[in-house]
Amino acid sequence: DQVAALTDVSLQLAHGEALGVIGPSGSGKSTLIQVLLRLRPPTDGAVLVNGVDYLEFDDGQWASLVALVPQEPTLLEASVADNIRYYRAISPLDVEQAARDAHVYDDIMRLPSGFDTKLGPRGGGLSGGQKQRVAIARALAGRPQLLVMDEPTSALDVESETKLNATIAGLKGRTTLVIVAHRMKTVESCDRLLVLEQGRVAQLDTRERLVQQSGFYRRIHELTEA
C-alpha cells in the first residue's frame, strides 16, 4: 500500500516572506520541496499562486518564477560568470549584482581572472562555501519569485555560514524564501518556522512565539538529531 508523504499540509506564503522548514529525517521535507517546485504535483489539493493553480503555468513561465539551491550544487567546468549565467541571456552587470547579493563578489574578484576564471571539474578552484554561494548567485541571477534552499549550511565553515545568513537577511522582503534546514541556527532569521513530523505540520508560527513555548528548543533538538 502507498503511504502519503505529506498529509493535511496547508499554509500561505506572503511575497518576500522567509519560511524555515525543519524536522527529522523522513518527516517530508524533501517532498515538500518537490511539491513547491512542481517537480511532484500534489495528488490531492492544489498549490495556488495568486489564486491560480500552478499547474496552469507553462514550463517556461514556471521555470522563470522559481529557483532551487540544492544541498550539493553542481558547477560547470567553465568560467565563474558562465556558472552564474548558466545558459541564460543574463548581462554582465546582472551577473555581478547576483554575486554581490550572494556575498561572493569579493571572493570572485580575488580569483586570478575574476569572473573570467575557469573552474575545474565540480567547481575545482573554489572552497565548499564559495561553491554554495556561486550556486546562490546563479539562482538569484534569474530573479526568481520563489527561492528554495535545501540544507544550505550543511557543509559550510563558520565564515561561509555567516555570509549565507547575511544573504538570507538581505533577500527578505524581495524574494519569497523557503529554507529547509537540519539546524535551528540556519533558520534563525526566518519570519516563520514550519515543523514537520511524519508528513504533517506539527507547528507553524513565528520564531518568537515558538521559542516562548516550554521545551521548544529541546524538542526540536531531539527531533533533528534523531
Side-chain angles (χ1 to χ4, degrees):
D1 293 339
Q2 292 186 334
V3 178
L6 293 172
T7 306
D8 298 328
V9 175
S10 179
L11 68 146
Q12 291 184 340
L13 282 172
H15 174 69
E17 180 179 5
L19 176 73
V21 181
I22 55 178
S25 298
S27 62
K29 300 191 300 293
S30 295
T31 301
L32 180 62
I33 288 177
Q34 293 168 358
V35 171
L36 285 174
L37 295 175
R38 210 174 74 171
L39 300 174
R40 187 176 179 179
T43 54
D44 189 26
V47 178
L48 305 180
V49 179
N50 293 330
V52 178
D53 191 317
Y54 75 166
L55 296 178
E56 295 186 19
F57 292 84
D58 65 39
D59 291 344
Q61 285 178 310
W62 188 250
S64 70
L65 291 174
V66 301
L68 168 68
V69 178
Q71 184 173 348
E72 296 182 8
T74 301
L75 298 186
L76 307 171
E77 192 170 345
S79 71
V80 176
D82 284 340
N83 268 280
I84 295 174
R85 192 175 292 114
Y86 203 66
Y87 306 111
R88 297 167 295 181
I90 296 175
S91 72
L93 285 178
D94 286 340
V95 167
E96 290 186 12
Q97 186 58 53
R100 292 181 188 277
D101 290 341
H103 287 80
V104 72
Y105 178 85
D106 290 342
D107 298 68
I108 293 171
M109 296 308 293
R110 284 193 288 267
L111 295 174
S113 300
F115 282 87
D116 293 325
T117 302
K118 185 174 180 179
L119 303 181
R122 296 182 297 279
L126 298 179
S127 69
Q130 290 169 335
K131 291 177 187 177
Q132 185 69 285
R133 282 180 278 128
V134 166
I136 294 172
R138 172 192 291 171
L140 295 178
R143 300 183 181 179
Q145 296 296 303
L146 171 66
L147 176 60
V148 178
M149 297 185 181
D150 184 13
E151 299 280 5
T153 62
S154 60
L156 300 188
D157 55 44
V158 174
E159 179 183 0
S160 295
E161 185 174 18
T162 299
K163 290 181 178 179
L164 177 62
N165 288 334
T167 296
I168 293 171
L171 292 174
K172 285 175 61 177
R174 297 166 48 192
T175 299
T176 303
L177 297 169
V178 175
I179 304 165
V180 178
H182 195 72
R183 296 186 297 167
M184 281 292 297
K185 183 174 178 57
T186 309
V187 295
E188 280 184 348
S189 62
C190 289
D191 300 300
R192 289 190 297 167
L193 299 182
L194 170 66
V195 183
L196 283 176
E197 291 183 52
Q198 299 180 338
R200 294 178 181 271
V201 177
Q203 291 175 296
L204 174 61
D205 211 332
T206 64
R207 177 179 170 275
E208 289 74 16
R209 289 174 181 166
L210 289 177
V211 297
Q212 290 173 2
Q213 298 179 13
S214 176
F216 174 74
Y217 270 109
R218 176 180 54 79
R219 178 166 168 272
I220 293 303
H221 177 77
E222 291 172 352
L223 281 173
T224 56
E225 297 300 325

